[in-house]
Amino acid sequence: MSVGRTAIVTGAASLRGIGRRTGDKLAAEGWALAILDIDGDAAEAAAAEIATRHGVEARGHRCDVTSERDVEQAFAAVETTLPPVGALVNNAGITSPTRFAEVSIGEWERVMRVNVHGSFLATRRAMPGMVARGFGRVVMLSSVSAERGGGVFGGVAYSAAKAALLGFARALAREVGPHGVTVNSVAPGLIDTDITAGKLNPERRARLIAEIPVNRSGTTDDVADVVAFLCRPSTAFVTGATWDINGGSHIH
Ligand code: NAD
């Protein structure tokens, strides 16, 4: 379907993460794959495993998405080794449950830098090529926290960062739509990964699940399916949209 095109997924090294599963799904649909992650060894291992499983070209690169230099170097490496970049999934992210009164400037900046600044740097680097080739798919990993104001795990800083991505995607979608580039967001609810680093205790988790109409937490597959759909060349008339993947925990 997307033969001859590369999908870049940031933050796709984490073994049980959304990015990893998304990379796997994109490779299954025929994309060549580049994994850009701050954990370079894990990125290479993930790429090797996905390449073997799906028989596609895949590379992993160490890249801190908050560093303009890292992003430039990683994209340059991708461009010399893989087919042209057709999709970018801005998945690298960190969360923070800290209550507002306790959020330090350092924590606020860290959460903004990885989630927002990182998505900006990668998207800015990817966009000229997509526009020149008249094809591109960009997907932002937002969160239900952006829409309902936290209430899952993330607090004010995380909700603000993920809400920034929604405005980013909508405004950029208008600008680049005429060039064949779509920009969409997904807003997952509670998904079983390691992002909460064991800090979501079983009681709180059970309470959260009790409020989810489909009565379970989400899987990385639930998210990866929607992201892969948004990256398909045939998904060309959907842009500036936010896709809720939350089991009904936020219906609006
Ligand atoms: P995860 O912690 O499993 O994976 C995050 C990945 O990002 C890791 O591989 C990590 O090494 C990488 N990363 C962190 N900082 C980075 C940086 N500066 N540069 C490059 N890579 C970096 O997380 P996950 O749960 O798979 O989350 C993926 C995305 O989905 C995040 O943006 C997260 O905010 C979002 N999200 C997750 C959930 C959830 O419940 N898990 C819900 C909504 C949204």
Side-chain angles (χ1 to χ4, degrees), residues 11 13-14 17-18 37-38 63-66 91-94 114-115 141-143 158 162 188-191 193-195:
S14 169
I18 291 169
D37 200 288
I38 198 162
C63 172
D64 177 348
V65 293
T66 70
N91 170 80
I94 56 170
V114 179
N115 291 289
L141 260 292
S142 181
S143 166
Y158 183 72
K162 292 304 191 185
L190 178 64
I191 309 296
T193 72
D194 296 327
I195 197 169

Side-chain angles (χ1 to χ4, degrees), residues 196-213:
T196 52
K199 288 187 197 134
L200 183 63
N201 68 47
E203 295 75 36
R204 171 104 187 272
R205 194 169 177 283
R207 271 205 310 281
L208 287 171
I209 289 175
E211 286 172 19
I212 300 174

